[in-house]
Amino acid sequence: MRLPPATLEAAARVLRANDRGGWTVPARDLYPFQWNWDSALVALGWRRLDEARALRELASLLAAQWPCGMVPQIVFHRPDPRYFPGPEVWRTDRTPPTSGITQPPVLASCLARLVARARDRALVEAGARQLLPAIERWHRWFHEVRIDPATGLVVTVHPWETGMDDSPLWDEPLARVPTPQGLRLERRDLVAVPADQRPKMAHYRRFLALVLRFRTWRWDQRRMAAQSPFRVADPTTHLLLLAAERDLEALARRLGVLDPEAIAARTARLEGAIRRHLQDPESGFIHAFDLVAGRRLAARAACAFLAFRAGLATPGLTRALMAWLAAVPFPLPTVHPTDPAFERRRYWRGPVWPVLDRLVAWGLEGEPAARLAAVVAELIRRFGFREYHDPLDGRGLGGRDFSWTAALALDWLADG
Ligand code: GLC
């Protein structure tokens, strides 16, 4: 699928306009800092324009790594009043300030793609050698600090860590998070985007309540993993971590660094835990797991299809993918339209997200991969580089001039 040169030039202009010098904001009005998985994916766009700049994007994110190994969800490089909750709410005591939670680990996979597609091989391989130890420490943190000993699953303590904030997957486990009286909530996101396209207030109150609770625990990551009132195993985190571990192991072997055997051993353990606890034995579908209640959740979301990239495909899952592709004019809907939770315009509760289509297509071949590329190319041609779209009529929703949407045009839709 090829986008016309003018569209690719427009994509490059979006990245340049969102460049803050070594790091890229996801969207100028809505997200004026550096976000973890946005940056990793945006580096893939930079790779087409300037490989050294792509490496700098990853390095600037890793420079904010915590001593425990966590790579944070947000790096607040400089103050900006347009976002809430800012560093004065998180108070994680880091320089530069960061949030105190993480996001889905796609960094290793993006770096592997930079290396595989490198034009200046010496430059990119040297950059990769420098970055790999920090990425390995981050992965190890998932296995050692954010692990549920009973199941071997990775513990996610906040819906923001899943990158799919208000997904119906989190409705049930989030409902038991208490919201304190007198919670001061500012919705600065509603200045840029209509309220019916953003998470509901009830969700936001619980998002903030969790932040305030962890703050009283001084961001003790082990305590958060053991005691957070919201503790889930998230399909996106697990499936992308599994793929990232495989990519890390391959990079380690190729470049002769790290300990590939150790990475392979923990990857096998992670895969076993996913197969045992997240994958439905009959349907093959990947579900979230509620670690507080100790059971798999029934809710379904499109992130399950990241299983193709993680090597966990089954015939049942392939049938489900075909059904979701056929369910709306512009797939993938993040929630199936027959699901009572489906809302066509609201954030992670129905809209099609180009970035998710791109990540799912990364694990597919043939017709389904071509279909997703064609859908996203059409959405971009008609509506520009938006954050997400109505899956029924394609209309652009959420943020505009969105960095990861521009980046995937350059990385994925430029050359077949
Ligand atoms: C929202 C999305 C998250 C993304 C961030 C910045 O919070 O849910 O996935 O990383 O915006 O684009």
Side-chain angles (χ1 to χ4, degrees):
M1 178 55 50
R2 269 184 183 282
L3 282 172
T7 310
L8 298 174
E9 279 155 29
R13 278 199 301 278
V14 168
L15 290 194
R16 292 201 176 97
N18 292 350
D19 184 8
R20 294 293 170 273
W23 55 282
T24 311
V25 297
R28 287 191 293 281
D29 294 339
L30 207 49
Y31 302 116
F33 309 107
Q34 184 176 26
W35 261 258
N36 184 324
W37 74 329
D38 294 70
S39 256
L41 292 159
V42 164
L44 296 181
W46 281 119
R47 126 187 127 74
R48 305 295 297 233
L49 310 173
D50 177 348
E51 289 180 309
R53 176 63 186 80
L55 291 165
R56 271 211 306 287
E57 186 77 32
L58 303 181
S60 65
L61 177 64
L62 287 168
Q65 184 170 37
W66 284 25
C68 65
M70 182 180 78
V71 180
Q73 166 221 16
I74 309 175
V75 187
F76 300 107
H77 287 278
R78 54 192 195 213
D80 197 301
R82 282 171 296 184
Y83 184 80
F84 179 89
E88 65 292 345
V89 177
W90 291 88
R91 291 190 220 150
T92 56
D93 204 19
R94 303 277 315 147
T95 312
T98 72
S99 72
I101 56 176
T102 194
Q103 256 194 331
V106 289
L107 229 165
S109 299
C110 293
L111 184 59
R113 189 167 165 86
L114 287 184
V115 171
R117 300 289 174 109
R119 289 187 303 275
D120 185 340
R121 225 173 108 179
L123 173 93
V124 177
E125 288 191 355
R129 274 200 185 82
Q130 278 184 358
L131 299 175
L132 281 170
I135 299 177
E136 193 282 325
R137 281 212 304 129
W138 182 29
H139 287 194
R140 204 172 346 123
W141 172 84
F142 281 108
H143 293 275
E144 290 176 0
V145 177
R146 282 298 192 82
I147 199 80
D148 176 58
T151 56
L153 292 167
V154 171
V155 184
T156 287
V157 299
H158 196 297
W160 284 339
E161 290 198 314
T162 72
M164 302 185 185
D165 315 3
D166 69 339
S167 168
L169 296 185
W170 315 131
D171 287 359
E172 202 181 316
L174 199 59
R176 70 170 84 83
V177 172
T179 46
Q181 293 278 314
L183 197 71
R184 233 188 94 250
L185 189 64
E186 296 170 39
R187 291 296 300 271
R188 297 186 200 158
D189 56 322
L190 302 183
V191 175
V193 179
D196 70 341
Q197 298 175 22
R198 294 286 305 173
K200 288 186 196 129
M201 210 56 160
H203 281 103
Y204 246 92
R205 294 176 64 78
R206 293 195 158 86
F207 296 160
L208 186 63
L210 283 168
V211 170
L212 299 180
R213 163 92 59 133
F214 302 150
R215 190 173 83 183
T216 66
W217 294 347
R218 297 181 175 280
W219 302 103
D220 175 342
Q221 296 292 329
R222 283 186 196 276
R223 181 166 183 191
M224 287 157 64
Q227 296 180 15
S228 169
F230 178 91
R231 279 193 303 127
V232 301
D234 162 40
T236 305
T237 301
H238 280 81
L239 298 171
L240 292 179
L241 179 59
L242 186 54
E245 287 283 49
R246 296 210 173 103
D247 292 333
L248 183 69
E249 184 198 333
L251 271 179
R253 292 191 195 280
R254 172 174 177 159
L255 301 178
V257 294
L258 306 176
D259 179 352
E261 297 303 325
I263 298 168
R266 71 189 188 201
T267 306
R269 284 199 299 277
L270 180 69
E271 178 173 345
I274 297 174
R275 286 187 189 278
R276 267 194 307 283
H277 299 292
L278 304 191
Q279 192 157 34
D280 184 297
E282 274 154 39
S283 66
F285 209 85
I286 307 284
H287 291 262
F289 192 97
D290 186 344
L291 291 161
V292 176
R295 59 183 170 76
R296 201 157 47 221
L297 290 160
R300 289 171 176 238
C303 55
F305 301 119
L306 295 167
F308 291 96
R309 175 133 164 74
L312 298 176
T314 68
L317 196 66
T318 303
R319 279 196 299 278
L321 175 67
M322 294 309 171
W324 284 57
L325 283 171
V328 291
F330 300 94
L332 286 167
T334 36
V335 174
H336 197 278
T338 58
D339 189 320
F342 175 80
E343 292 180 69
R344 62 191 284 185
R345 291 158 62 85
R346 195 182 300 283
Y347 218 40
W348 289 102
R349 302 180 74 86
V352 43
W353 285 65
V355 70
L356 183 62
D357 277 16
R358 190 270 174 278
L359 286 168
V360 169
W362 200 342
L364 298 173
E365 288 170 351
E367 214 280 315
R371 170 95 173 101
L372 289 177
V375 164
V376 174
E378 184 186 343
L379 291 173
I380 288 175
R381 270 199 306 268
R382 284 176 52 192
F383 301 99
F385 304 101
R386 299 298 301 260
E387 191 178 13
Y388 45 95
H389 299 258
D390 185 328
L392 301 179
D393 63 16
R395 257 188 50 203
L397 304 169
R400 292 164 198 277
D401 291 343
F402 221 85
S403 292
W404 64 14
T405 311
L408 64 83
L410 291 163
D411 175 51
W412 177 42
L413 303 175
D415 59 2

